[in-house]
């Protein structure tokens, strides 16, 4: 019987230069490709399709800054070109060239928690862990 393992907060991180700045409780990833049809004059149906741009959009929930990020007073609103790393059993998914596009913030005493962060990534790579 195989075991299913779901990512936990320590498995989903926002990193800059390999250093984790925040962890997330969960994530959603959506990858889309802008494909176009190739049409021939006089034909009622396309004769093929051509690949287009690939876009990766991530939505991280319950994002919490690490102790080091709080100590170093990292300004998450000025972050750009960072990585989001999702650790899975035997592999890692790395979204790189990331830019945030939306941050919804909520905080309790002493902790900085971003409820939801929406991120656009330029690349997605899977590597063996």
């Amino acid at each position: 019987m195989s075991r299913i393992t779901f990512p936990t907060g320590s498995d989903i991180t926002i990193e800059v230069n390999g250093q984790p700045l925040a962890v997330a409780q969960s994530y959603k990833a959506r990858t889309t490709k802008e494909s176009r049809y190739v049409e021939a004059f006089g034909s009622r149906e396309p004769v093929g399709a051509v690949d287009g741009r690939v876009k990766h959009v991530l939505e991280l929930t319950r994002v919490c800054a690490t102790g080091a990020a709080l100590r170093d007073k990292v300004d998450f609103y000025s972050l750009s070109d960072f990585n989001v790393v999702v650790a899975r059993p035997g592999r890692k998914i790395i979204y790189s060239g990331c830019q945030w596009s939306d941050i919804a913030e909520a905080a309790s005493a002493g902790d900085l928690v971003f409820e939801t962060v929406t991120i656009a990534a330029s690349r997605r790579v899977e590597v063996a862990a």
Side-chain angles (χ1 to χ4, degrees):
M1 174 186 274
S2 64
R3 221 170 79 177
I4 298 174
T5 306
F6 294 98
T8 65
S10 61
D11 298 327
I12 305 165
T13 57
I14 294 174
E15 298 181 356
V16 173
N17 296 327
Q19 299 300 314
L21 297 181
V23 295
Q25 184 177 27
S26 63
Y27 82 106
K28 291 180 189 177
R30 178 179 306 258
T31 300
T32 58
K33 187 187 320 186
E34 297 175 357
S35 300
R36 296 185 318 270
Y37 289 113
V38 176
E39 300 191 22
F41 183 75
S43 177
R44 295 187 69 168
E45 295 180 0
V47 294
V50 177
D51 282 346
R53 295 182 201 165
V54 176
K55 295 180 183 179
H56 308 284
V57 177
L58 305 167
E59 184 177 292
L60 306 179
T61 54
R62 299 289 298 162
V63 177
C64 185
T66 63
L70 291 172
R71 184 177 53 254
D72 295 341
K73 297 182 175 149
V74 173
D75 179 13
F76 283 88
Y77 291 93
S78 65
L79 277 184
S80 66
D81 196 25
F82 55 92
N83 294 343
V84 174
V85 179
V86 179
R88 293 285 181 96
R91 64 188 168 108
K92 284 185 181 181
I93 302 169
I94 302 169
Y95 294 92
S96 58
C98 295
Q99 303 289 335
W100 66 268
S101 63
D102 184 65
I103 297 176
E105 184 177 340
S108 59
D111 286 332
L112 180 59
V113 175
F114 298 107
E115 289 295 326
T116 307
V117 178
T118 304
I119 295 169
S122 61
R123 289 172 300 287
R124 179 188 185 277
V125 176
E126 283 192 45
V127 296

